[in-house]
Amino acid sequence: MADIKFVDNHIEIDKLPKKPKRLTATRFATVMGLNAWQTPFEAWCAITKTYEDPFEDTIYTIAGKVIEPKIIDYLNKTYFMDVKSPEDIYGQDYFKKTWGNFFPNEEFFGGMWDALGDDFVVEIKTTKRAEDWQDDIPIYYKLQAALYAYLLGFDTVIVTATFLEDNDYVQPELFEPNHTNTVMFEFSMAEAFPNFEEDYIKPASDFWQNHVLTGISPDYDEKKDAEILKVLRTNNLAPEDDEVAELLTEAENLKAEIELIDEKTKPLTDRLKEVQDALKRYMSEQFRDGDTKVELTGQRYSWTLSKSVRKSVDSKKLKDDGLFDQYAKESESYTLRNTVIE
């Protein structure tokens, strides 16, 4: 992870990676704020390799991979198309052969189309949300296909949507596309996006120039980007000198020994807590008017329960009245915790 600096509502990185990730179709609409599931800041973090969740296949991605060849075969047999898959054109292991990019001559756009005809591109989608496709292709997916058509110099775009049930994700190999579970949309770039370059290519290019090449992120959203910001705001250290390394080793050894002792005494400490809670309940009932303490004397210890009355500020009421910021005071505190490294 590059060294980062938080400035206002964005971050700045000290240096760019040698090869930023490309502005693929899945990031294309995202950087313009047209993705309901990701933010431009998240896309920027991935492109600049500042932060990205490690990719893990899910039932949804696995189903998509298994069903995609079935859709290509379905289009060829049902609609008498001549649609080719990436494997038909690049051969097996096409991802490794192309480094996951079918547009090596582009400066920063890239990605992989799903299928190709002689003069059209095909984008294949699987989803559970049929309601999103009632009127038209959702703009996020439509722009994915449109970008590939633009890069290929095609006007015709075909997008298929295959609607899956829960069981299809469990056994995608058994799924068979048909006219009830798979619909096909076709559009012309000239008609659907008559000003595609000005409306979409230029803003995406501006994003690259203004944010990727400068190392200055777009503004983040504290709520939508909360998980990423939590990681970025954590400074992960490794011991840089012998003294710190020795202290760290000693702390870990001491903690391991204490944990062994705690494990042996746990039944006793658990029971002691139960007994003390019972004594506390009894003693709290013995306060007289004006008392501030109740003492219970045993053979080895004297047990004292103190009572104090504290006044607290109703911060919600202050916020509602617009006075909270006027009287709020910031203070710093540091808490040292440790977690087991898996």
Side-chain angles (χ1 to χ4, degrees), residues 11-27:
I11 67 171
E12 299 177 7
I13 54 177
D14 60 334
K15 61 180 179 179
L16 291 173
K18 290 183 179 180
K19 288 187 177 181
K21 293 192 175 183
R22 287 181 174 260
L23 192 52
T24 60
T26 55
R27 298 181 183 124

Side-chain angles (χ1 to χ4, degrees), residues 24-26 68 71-72 75 81 83-84 102-103 110-117 120-126 133 137-149 152 156-162 182-187:
T24 60
T26 55
E68 188 173 294
I71 300 301
I72 294 175
L75 292 176
M81 293 181 174
V83 176
K84 294 180 174 60
F102 297 163
F103 304 93
M112 300 187 297
W113 39 259
D114 293 332
L116 280 186
F120 62 90
V121 65
V122 180
E123 187 74 12
I124 299 170
K125 298 299 178 188
T126 56
W133 298 75
I137 308 165
I139 186 63
Y140 169 61
Y141 297 124
K142 195 169 187 175
L143 285 174
Q144 288 183 27
L147 176 63
Y148 290 146
L152 290 162
T156 302
V157 182
I158 291 175
V159 179
T160 65
T162 299
T182 300
V183 296
M184 184 175 71
F185 299 84
E186 181 176 339
F187 66 87

